[in-house]
Amino acid sequence: MNFRVNLLIASVAFSILTMAAIAQQKDDYNTLLVINEYEWTVRLDFDNKLVKATCKVEVMNNANRSVKKLPFVLYRLLTVREVKSGGISLSFTQNIKSFEDQVRLQSNFIPVELNKPLQPNKSMTLELEYDGTLYGYTEVGWNYVKDKIDPNFTILRPDCMAYPELGYPSNKINKQFPKANFNYRVSITIPDSLIAVNGGSLVSANSVNGQTTFEFKNMERAWRMDIAIGKYGRLTDNGLTVYYFKQDSLGAKRVLAALQKTIRLYTNWWGPLNNFKGFSIIEIPDGFGSQADVTSILQSASAFKDSTEIHQAYHEISHLWNVDLKAPSPRWEEGLATFIEYLTIEKLEHREYLNYVTDWFLQVVRREVANDMRLKTVPMVDFGKHGMTDYSYSLGMIAFRILYQTLGDEKFNHSLRAFYKEYSGKEATTEDFIRITKRVSGKDMSAFFNDWFFTTGYIAHLERQSTFEEMVMIYR
Ligand SMILES: [Zn+2]
């Protein structure tokens, strides 16, 4: 055998080995699993600071191969007692593990062994029973995650991994899972003196022997479940609800009024909402971090004391008028919502804000382009596909403000109104939006959409034009 043949055999052998190694590695994890349904039953024991829960999950396998193990992560001080499927116990292991790429982040990692493999495109239901306590994640640097089982205020949420989610002790791998999108039913039992609230709808509240069980279900498919427990008051009007701490009852009235005004403004701009199911704001103490789900916001107390802190609600409420974009969604609706958030400050609070915030976002975008090589080649319409949605907020905000300045207030809103009217409840593409904009405004904006949506042409403008006004002039 000559040298060349040897080399050929060696390289073939090498590639077979590498392929085997890759296949082996692929077997180690599967990020094409999704949860379709959650049924979360929780009981809180404040005397012992304990949470006892069962979580019934329907897991779907979207991979093209079967799986034998389902991986879950759960808060580090929560212990799984039993895992069952169809009434039969399944074997599992559990270990507290540091995330491979974030050492201080520890979670309980629970691979569950299936009795028979879960086939591609099939789903199965598992029941995990667990208990333990919560003590936050401040050691990770997440200062807002100080979640505890405390009668003054308790919050159960994914930030503290209060319920099991599919995943591995690795941010890098977990990022590859599609964004959670599920239906849920939550049932929580707490002492009568307290009230549990959730961003979905309240199904029932039943009191037995000093304990009340609240049952909730989601209104729209959700990506997170939050339950807040405290001494809550409630204000409601036409599907809008504000849950507030009793000492902030005045602020709550202001918040509700702001919600009503926002809905009225957007209805004026973009037409009435189709099948509005409700929206709520849940007050949480300062320092616990505001968060938004599809039909609610966890809003820190500051917004109840200071009316200039309510802009996150503008952002979230504007999302109610979004049209679903065909998968993989470009996710530019985040840029639109961010722009609308600041536009609404100007319109409802009558204070100038847009110019200031535009300059700030321009700086952000310039810095992002300098720091992330991917931005040199990946255009905004592909951010969703590449897991780069974070950039949609900044770049998208600038892009939608340019569009707004170029079309003018009326034609801009009229385009959004026509887009919503034609596509709500259906799926649309970026091209559909462009077509409608052109039809409504009578203006051909294809140069703009090419520069900012379909290519990275905007980078040249960021380099050549120093001010926002100069950038707008290009398309006038
Ligand atoms: Zn958003």
Side-chain angles (χ1 to χ4, degrees):
M1 232 183 284
N2 68 27
F3 175 71
R4 250 197 207 152
V5 174
N6 264 333
L7 198 65
L8 182 70
I9 290 172
S11 84
V12 166
F14 178 74
S15 12
I16 289 170
L17 280 174
T18 337
M19 273 155 63
I22 289 168
Q24 171 66 41
Q25 200 186 17
K26 273 199 153 178
D27 265 353
D28 284 347
Y29 66 87
N30 178 352
T31 53
L32 288 166
L33 298 167
V34 292
I35 291 182
N36 281 330
E37 312 270 341
Y38 268 100
E39 233 180 275
W40 191 19
T41 308
V42 190
R43 182 174 280 272
L44 293 185
D45 169 357
F46 288 105
D47 293 334
N48 298 300
K49 298 186 178 351
L50 284 179
V51 48
K52 266 177 171 289
T54 17
C55 206
K56 218 171 172 181
V57 292
E58 189 196 296
V59 182
M60 172 96 192
N61 178 16
N62 285 333
N64 53 13
R65 63 200 166 86
S66 61
V67 286
K68 285 209 70 182
K69 268 186 199 175
L70 296 179
F72 292 92
V73 287
L74 188 61
Y75 185 63
R76 62 186 164 87
L77 300 174
L78 295 173
T79 307
V80 176
R81 300 296 171 189
E82 188 164 33
V83 183
K84 288 194 286 196
S85 176
I88 297 164
S89 289
L90 298 180
S91 71
F92 64 93
T93 55
Q94 60 186 328
N95 281 298
I96 309 298
K97 293 225 165 169
S98 276
F99 271 47
E100 61 168 1
D101 40 12
Q102 198 169 4
V103 184
R104 282 188 289 172
L105 176 57
Q106 294 193 319
S107 72
N108 188 359
F109 177 51
I110 310 137
V112 175
E113 202 84 46
L114 302 178
N115 286 340
K116 51 175 202 262
L118 178 58
Q119 298 302 324
N121 303 314
K122 294 278 180 226
S123 65
M124 68 177 297
T125 302
L126 285 189
E127 209 175 311
L128 295 97
E129 204 183 302
Y130 64 97
D131 57 51
T133 195
L134 299 178
Y135 207 70
Y137 264 132
T138 49
E139 74 272 25
V140 182
W142 299 346
N143 290 329
Y144 76 98
V145 188
K146 23 188 173 221
D147 310 8
K148 275 187 296 188
I149 311 299
D150 180 341
N152 287 318
F153 177 71
T154 298
I155 185 157
L156 304 174
R157 54 177 173 175
D159 310 61
C160 198
M161 303 190 197
Y163 55 87
E165 285 187 276
L166 289 167
Y168 298 85
S170 162
N171 292 313
K172 203 175 67 199
I173 298 174
N174 292 347
K175 261 194 205 151
Q176 297 168 26
F177 280 93
K179 184 169 180 177
N181 183 31
F182 53 79
N183 290 311
Y184 67 76
R185 271 190 104 90
V186 168
S187 152
I188 178 161
T189 306
I190 51 173
D192 276 346
S193 54
L194 298 173
I195 287 178
V197 304
N198 164 270
S201 57
L202 179 67
V203 179
S204 64
N206 287 310
S207 182
V208 181
N209 296 333
Q211 300 274 312
T212 306
T213 300
F214 294 86
E215 236 194 287
F216 304 97
K217 67 177 202 191
N218 64 306
M219 294 190 274
E220 300 271 343
R221 283 180 89 87
W223 63 275
R224 55 185 289 140
M225 294 188 281
D226 300 280
I227 319 173
I229 299 109
K231 294 204 155 124
Y232 276 106
R234 177 170 160 239
L235 276 180
T236 145
D237 173 63
N238 268 327
L240 300 173
T241 310
V242 178
Y243 296 101
Y244 60 95
F245 299 132
K246 297 265 166 76
Q247 68 271 22
D248 291 331
S249 58
L250 268 180
K253 280 192 189 136
R254 230 180 22 231
V255 169
L256 182 64
L259 290 184
Q260 289 161 329
K261 261 163 87 179
T262 312
I263 298 254
R264 234 177 289 137
L265 178 71
Y266 295 167
T267 306
N268 236 338
W269 282 349
W270 309 320
L273 274 172
N274 299 328
N275 70 76
F276 174 59
K277 292 182 187 132
F279 191 86
S280 51
I281 291 210
I282 299 170
E283 182 175 13
I284 55 172
D286 279 326
F288 274 81
S290 298
Q291 285 283 349
D293 189 8
V294 277
T295 56
S296 69
I297 300 178
L298 296 174
Q299 178 69 62
S300 57
S302 59
F304 286 72
K305 300 186 173 87
D306 176 356
S307 58
T308 64
E309 290 278 331
I310 195 72
H311 50 95
Q312 197 183 354
Y314 305 153
H315 176 116
E316 300 308 330
I317 291 175
S318 81
H319 276 313
L320 298 174
W321 274 265
N322 284 163
V323 167
D324 284 336
L325 296 171
K326 229 173 232 143
S329 168
R331 302 300 309 279
W332 48 250
E333 77 276 12
E334 289 305 347
L336 175 60
T338 305
F339 167 64
I340 295 298
E341 175 179 344
Y342 298 110
L343 179 67
T344 309
I345 289 181
E346 292 212 338
K347 301 285 178 191
L348 286 186
E349 299 176 19
H350 309 292
R351 51 188 178 112
E352 279 186 26
Y353 207 66
L354 264 179
N355 287 339
Y356 161 77
V357 90
T358 303
D359 285 345
W360 187 81
F361 272 115
L362 267 182
Q363 279 179 37
V364 172
V365 173
R366 287 193 167 109
R367 197 169 52 230
E368 286 169 344
V369 169
N371 292 342
D372 191 337
M373 284 301 290
R374 292 176 302 171
L375 286 170
K376 304 253 182 334
T377 51
V378 180
M380 187 156 70
V381 286
D382 290 335
F383 283 176
K385 189 162 78 189
H386 288 93
M388 293 162 68
T389 308
D390 283 357
Y391 294 128
S392 302
Y393 292 79
S394 42
L395 183 62
M397 187 275 167
I398 297 292
F400 278 100
R401 182 155 189 225
I402 294 177
L403 187 65
Y404 177 83
Q405 301 290 117
T406 316
L407 297 181
D409 198 271
E410 207 169 295
K411 283 176 177 161
F412 177 85
N413 281 323
H414 191 175
S415 302
L416 289 174
R417 177 192 274 255
F419 188 49
Y420 179 70
K421 193 168 174 204
E422 195 162 328
Y423 287 100
S424 92
K426 299 180 205 155
E427 275 188 333
T429 60
T430 307
E431 286 82 356
D432 293 326
F433 178 62
I434 295 170
R435 188 173 45 76
I436 284 183
T437 304
K438 190 173 173 182
R439 191 185 74 205
V440 167
S441 70
K443 241 181 158 159
D444 183 1
M445 293 294 293
S446 43
F448 161 79
F449 283 110
N450 273 331
D451 286 347
W452 294 82
F453 284 67
F454 295 111
T455 72
T456 56
Y458 69 91
I459 296 177
H461 298 312
L462 288 176
E463 281 159 6
R464 259 181 264 135
Q465 270 73 33
S466 55
T467 67
F468 177 74
E469 260 316 300
E470 287 169 355
M471 265 177 260
V472 174
M473 289 313 290
I474 303 171
Y475 308 105
R476 275 229 172 108

